[in-house]
Amino acid sequence: MKYLLIALSGFVVVAFASIAGANSTPEIIIAELQTGSANSSSEEFVELHNLGGSTVDLTGWTIGYLSSSGSTWTSKAELSGKIEPRGRFLVATSGYLEDSSNDVMSSGLAGGGGHVRVSVVNSNGEVTEYDRVGWGDALEPEELPATAPDNGESLKRVINEDGYFIDTDNNSLDFFVSTQPTPHGDQVAVVPNQPTSTPKPVTKPKPAPAPASSPKPTTGSGAGGSAANLSNAPLQLTELFIDPDKPLLDDEDEFVEIYNPTNQAVNLSGYTIQTGSTFSYSFTLPSQVMKPKSYLAVYSIDSNLTLSNSGGVARLMSPVGQAIDQTQPYEVADPNEAWAKDNSGGWQWTETPTPGAPNVFADSELPAGLEGETELSGSSTSLSDRGEVLSAYTTGSDSSEDDTAETDETKAVLSRTVLVGLVVAGVLYGCYEYRHNLTAGVKKLYKYATDR
């Protein structure tokens, strides 16, 4: 009887678990989207991600498309197949990414703006929409659309400091333009450190801290002179210094670097730097002139911007509110390393932070077109000193080791000299103290030698 009750209890538990799994709501989101490759505007893909802990059968689900000003959704793909927990499912146009895609879609995603959604229609004809992305000049959904990617670029969902995809229902915050699309159709987790036991919590934006009331001048090669009133100059973000180590401080020595690739000076008044996985930290630059082909390092002591050590992203907004440039998201930052733009336009870690100067990597390559001025003209004394301290602290390890070796050798020579001096002084003192005895001894030796 006891064993029968145990078996019955196990059956009930399994039954309830099965029912719960069957009734759980799928958590499918759009993780990445491309409206055209560098080779063809018809080479497109949509990558889905399963946030939940259960396998989802996508058979009968639809990838839908709505033009920027349209009112009728059209089907781009009728899906079939399954997506594993925290796995990804790639849908690409015919003949594109055939080795990695899980399903095929028709082309026609407008690069300038539009909407893509993933949905399913139930037996009653009701549409259940699981995720939707709008970009460019999209009118739907109600949230702000993401920046439109160019051909060869993609829209990627932002990852927060804890390694989760964010989903704030605001596409301008949830997605960023990536110059390096990474379409995947396997069942490997998109985020390596994404937990496998619990589904993703929804991340909402944090309130932005108030900017400093009277910001100090920033370090760079662009202060002074006249400038064009460009409200959307193609300025670039080129470097983030995220985790300064002692004696440097997070709230003083972190910096975001801007580069002016144009041939004319730009007044930075109204340009805004935003950081954090949801761009919740913001700093509007004061009126300051940035020379052509020059760099500008904006330090945390002046901006109050926060760069999370566990991961994040930064972007630059124009005075009219348009996103001009955005870094690739970074993961955990090591002390005294900088997240910097490289020669290919991608981002990688470097052990040599270079505030106000071209980036330096292990292979000594510089980003293309970033051979600008490096002098810090017009910068304030305190910030110039900060840059010098940072450079010396993070790049001067070899010279300090040499100096240490020289110092140790000098100390050894001095020690030997002092010891010899003490011995000689002791001998001379002994000779003086016992001079009479020594004199008598010498006379005896002389008399002995004469007698012999």
Side-chain angles (χ1 to χ4, degrees):
M1 188 65 172
K2 178 175 67 174
Y3 295 108
L4 179 61
L5 290 174
I6 292 174
L8 182 60
S9 300
F11 175 77
V12 171
V13 170
V14 171
F16 273 105
S18 301
I19 294 172
N23 294 334
S24 61
T25 302
E27 297 180 84
I28 307 298
I29 62 169
I30 297 172
E32 189 174 359
L33 178 148
Q34 179 179 277
T35 61
S37 71
N39 298 322
S40 173
S41 59
S42 62
E43 291 183 338
E44 306 162 354
F45 73 80
V46 176
E47 182 182 312
L48 305 180
H49 179 61
N50 181 5
L51 296 171
S54 303
T55 301
V56 176
D57 188 349
L58 296 177
T59 302
W61 289 46
T62 300
I63 299 293
Y65 172 70
L66 179 68
S67 65
S68 59
S69 58
S71 58
T72 303
W73 288 88
T74 60
S75 175
K76 289 296 180 182
E78 297 291 337
L79 305 180
S80 62
K82 297 180 179 181
I83 180 170
E84 302 298 328
R86 283 156 297 280
R88 43 197 166 180
F89 191 95
L90 181 64
V91 188
T93 50
S94 179
Y96 183 49
L97 303 176
E98 291 182 324
D99 293 337
S100 55
S101 62
N102 301 96
D103 215 326
V104 179
M105 61 181 285
S106 59
S107 61
L109 305 182
H115 318 76
V116 165
R117 74 177 182 184
V118 54
S119 62
V120 64
V121 180
N122 63 21
S123 57
N124 298 325
E126 299 172 339
V127 177
T128 300
E129 181 177 295
Y130 288 94
D131 197 19
R132 183 192 305 196
V133 178
W135 67 93
D137 56 359
L139 298 180
E140 294 285 345
E142 295 179 357
E143 62 264 22
L144 293 176
T147 301
D150 292 331
N151 281 354
E153 299 177 335
S154 69
L155 287 178
K156 287 185 179 180
R157 188 176 289 274
V158 175
I159 299 171
N160 69 8
E161 293 90 341
D162 299 320
Y164 295 101
F165 285 115
I166 70 168
D167 188 5
T168 68
D169 293 331
N170 187 331
N171 295 157
S172 66
L173 297 178
D174 293 350
F175 288 86
F176 70 97
V177 175
S178 172
T179 58
Q180 295 181 321
T182 54
H184 294 285
D186 52 29
Q187 301 302 329
V188 178
V190 176
V191 187
N193 60 343
Q194 179 118 352
T196 57
S197 58
T198 57
K200 172 202 74 83
V202 175
T203 304
K204 298 298 180 182
K206 303 174 183 178
S213 56
S214 56
K216 303 176 185 178
T218 48
T219 302
S221 54
S226 60
N229 292 322
L230 301 178
S231 61
N232 196 22
L235 303 178
Q236 301 174 8
L237 295 175
T238 51
E239 187 175 359
L240 304 178
F241 187 53
I242 299 158
D243 186 15
D245 202 0
K246 294 179 180 179
L248 307 179
L249 303 173
D250 284 353
D251 57 357
E252 293 185 6
D253 298 295
E254 291 182 357
F255 68 78
V256 178
E257 184 183 73
I258 305 173
Y259 175 65
N260 177 11
T262 70
N263 294 319
Q264 55 186 322
V266 176
N267 192 322
L268 297 176
S269 178
Y271 284 83
T272 300
I273 301 172
Q274 297 178 341
T275 62
S277 60
T278 60
F279 305 111
S280 54
Y281 301 99
S282 179
F283 174 70
T284 300
L285 293 163
S287 180
Q288 180 174 351
V289 174
M290 191 172 183
K291 292 180 182 180
K293 310 294 183 182
S294 65
Y295 296 84
L296 180 74
V298 182
Y299 285 92
S300 54
I301 191 174
D302 307 309
S303 65
N304 289 330
L305 290 173
T306 295
L307 297 172
S308 172
N309 296 345
S310 59
V313 68
R315 71 179 176 184
L316 181 65
M317 306 293 290
S318 73
V320 296
Q322 182 177 356
I324 299 173
D325 194 25
Q326 185 167 300
T327 69
Q328 291 182 4
Y330 62 89
E331 295 181 352
V332 177
D334 289 332
N336 281 341
E337 288 194 357
W339 184 237
K341 181 177 287 187
D342 61 23
N343 191 51
S344 66
W347 288 74
Q348 60 175 295
W349 295 106
T350 174
E351 296 180 352
T352 309
T354 54
N359 296 333
V360 176
F361 300 94
D363 57 5
S364 299
E365 291 185 1
L366 298 180
L370 300 187
E371 302 81 6
E373 303 177 7
T374 60
E375 71 274 15
L376 306 184
S377 59
S379 59
S380 70
T381 302
S382 63
L383 291 176
S384 292
D385 291 344
R386 178 173 292 107
E388 293 168 6
V389 170
L390 170 63
S391 178
Y393 184 71
T394 57
T395 64
S397 57
D398 293 339
S399 62
S400 63
E401 290 176 1
D402 294 340
D403 292 342
T404 301
E406 292 177 3
T407 301
D408 292 342
E409 183 177 354
T410 301
K411 288 180 179 179
V413 171
L414 290 174
S415 299
R416 289 193 296 269
T417 302
V418 171
L419 181 61
V420 171
L422 289 174
V423 172
V424 172
V427 171
L428 292 176
Y429 176 77
C431 291
Y432 174 77
E433 185 71 22
Y434 298 97
R435 61 188 182 278
H436 299 296
N437 295 335
L438 290 173
T439 302
V442 170
K443 288 181 179 180
K444 288 181 179 180
L445 288 174
Y446 177 76
K447 185 178 183 301
Y448 176 77
T450 302
D451 292 343
R452 292 293 296 267

